């Protein structure tokens, strides 16, 4: 029976409150149980989850009881964040870190997204604005700004 491997990748963005690093959960179908799992050619383990995984490209090996091995590659991204790079009385420019490009931005909205708009003009002084960034994976970060 053929061994198939599905990688469920959870980044640090989703679970930053619970974990210091990201985690990778492996789901195996096919093959013959029990399965063992290896991260980056390390020692095999019985648990299907690897914790505290650092950002980067990782190799996952799944081995069944008949020593059939399936290999998959997955990528962990840095936590998505955004900061004010510069501002004036009517403009603001943001810098985005982490996540997976392309980035989508919104101002005072959770539904109106604009691709790669890091520079906003026509803003008014003494008003509170909430700017959001969303990456290709759907993870979001927001920041509030008063000019």
């Amino acid at each position: 029976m053929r061994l198939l491997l599905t990688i469920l990748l959870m980044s640090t963005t989703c679970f930053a409150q619970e974990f210091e690093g990201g985690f990778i959960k492996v789901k195996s179908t096919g093959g013959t149980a029990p399965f063992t799992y290896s991260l980056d050619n390390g020692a095999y383990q019985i648990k299907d989850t690897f914790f505290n995984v650092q950002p980067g490209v990782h190799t996952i090996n799944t081995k069944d009881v008949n020593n059939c091995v399936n290999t998959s590659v997955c990528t962990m991204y840095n936590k998505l964040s955004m900061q004010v790079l510069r501002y004036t009385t009517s403009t603001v420019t943001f810098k985005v870190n982490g996540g997976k490009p392309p980035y989508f931005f919104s101002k005072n909205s959770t539904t109106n997204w604009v691709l790669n708009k890091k520079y906003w003009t026509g803003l008014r002084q003494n008003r509170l604005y909430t700017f959001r960034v969303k990456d290709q994976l759907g993870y979001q970060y927001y920041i509030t700004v008063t000019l």
Side-chain angles (χ1 to χ4, degrees):
M1 179 180 279
R2 187 170 171 217
L3 175 65
L4 301 175
L5 177 65
T6 302
I7 302 296
L8 302 175
L9 178 62
M10 307 305 283
S11 80
T12 54
T13 303
C14 289
F15 298 94
Q17 301 296 325
E18 299 174 34
F19 301 102
E20 285 299 312
F23 72 88
I24 297 173
K25 182 169 179 62
V26 183
K27 180 180 178 187
S28 301
T29 57
T32 306
F35 301 105
T36 55
Y37 308 92
S38 169
L39 175 65
D40 295 329
N41 296 315
Y44 278 87
Q45 65 182 38
I46 295 170
K47 293 183 180 180
D48 64 355
T49 305
F50 298 94
F51 293 96
N52 298 316
V53 179
Q54 297 303 309
V57 178
H58 298 281
T59 302
I60 309 297
N61 292 316
T62 300
K63 183 169 41 171
D64 74 359
V65 73
N66 297 315
N67 287 322
C68 292
V69 177
N70 192 332
T71 301
S72 185
V73 175
C74 63
T75 303
M76 293 280 296
Y77 295 90
N78 284 312
K79 181 178 178 180
L80 181 66
S81 67
M82 177 172 59
Q83 65 189 60
V84 175
L85 192 59
R86 59 180 128 352
Y87 66 94
T88 68
T89 56
S90 63
T91 66
V92 65
T93 304
F94 296 101
K95 178 182 178 186
V96 176
N97 300 301
K100 182 178 182 182
Y103 302 113
F104 299 86
F105 295 83
S106 71
K107 177 185 75 173
N108 293 337
S109 173
T110 58
T111 57
N112 297 320
W113 297 97
V114 181
L115 178 64
N116 290 328
K117 185 166 181 165
K118 298 178 188 176
Y119 181 74
W120 294 82
T121 61
L123 305 175
R124 297 188 178 161
Q125 286 185 312
N126 300 316
R127 292 190 72 186
L128 179 69
Y129 294 95
T130 300
F131 293 93
R132 288 178 168 75
V133 61
K134 177 171 66 171
D135 72 359
Q136 181 181 347
L137 301 173
Y139 299 122
Q140 296 182 33
Y141 185 87
Y142 75 93
I143 189 169
T144 56
V145 176
T146 303
L147 301 178

